[in-house]
Amino acid sequence: MSEMVFGVVPVLAAVLTGLFAGLFLTFSMAVMPGLARAGDRAMIESMRGINTAILNPLFAVVFVGAPVAALGSTALYATSGSLTPLVWSGAGLVLLLTAVVVTFAVNVPRNNALDQAGTAEHLGDPAAVRAAFEPGWVRWNHVRSLASVAALVCSVMALLPA
């Protein structure tokens, strides 16, 4: 049984971390550059729609599951005395938690402010609303993208034979 757990949990951590990283990287590589080409009202409405649509069970599994699986993997390596995978897995966990903290400290409050501003069609100055939202959101999304990609590298390194 313990061999199965050691075989499944670290792989699950790597897979979920890959999905986690892919989500944020997609925003950095395609979603936000695409929205940058849109007018102010279209960008605001699109981002508000994305912020609503992303709150779904699959997102929750990935967003919560990756750090939980990384924690489980790190705990398994700690109890087994496997130092090299422990270090890699622990580093991946710290990087994932960094992305989670950035999400809740920066991106979610900006999403909430965008939502509270109201629909784009009713905004008096959509350019100002966009300017208050977009540059900081994008900058910090790049940070969480880099952190989560680095976490993926760490998760995969933990899987390699020592």
Side-chain angles (χ1 to χ4, degrees):
M1 176 70 167
S2 73
E3 285 183 27
M4 185 178 82
V5 170
F6 267 96
V8 171
V9 173
V11 170
L12 181 62
V15 169
L16 288 172
T17 300
L19 293 170
F20 188 101
L23 172 70
F24 295 127
L25 193 59
T26 297
F27 271 89
S28 286
M29 291 180 5
V31 174
M32 298 313 290
L35 291 177
R37 292 181 169 103
D40 296 334
R41 291 185 194 282
M43 183 275 179
I44 291 167
E45 282 307 305
S46 296
M47 197 63 201
R48 290 181 79 223
I50 290 167
N51 290 338
T52 299
I54 201 165
L55 299 177
N56 65 68
L58 186 55
F59 171 77
V61 167
V62 171
F63 189 77
V64 174
V68 168
L71 176 62
S73 183
T74 302
L76 285 172
Y77 289 130
T79 60
S80 74
S82 302
L83 183 60
T84 299
L86 171 62
V87 170
W88 283 113
S89 185
L93 175 60
V94 168
L95 289 160
L96 280 173
L97 293 176
T98 299
V100 169
V101 167
V102 167
T103 298
F104 284 111
V106 179
N107 296 91
V108 168
R110 286 179 184 273
N111 291 344
N112 292 341
L114 191 66
D115 189 52
Q116 291 170 357
T119 60
E121 63 202 31
H122 294 109
L123 293 176
D125 189 358
V129 172
R130 181 180 191 162
F133 171 81
E134 190 174 23
W137 195 99
V138 168
R139 184 178 322 108
W140 284 98
N141 186 69
H142 292 329
V143 170
R144 66 185 182 171
S145 294
L146 290 171
S148 58
V149 168
L152 174 58
V153 170
C154 291
S155 296
V156 170
M157 293 300 295
L159 294 173
L160 299 177

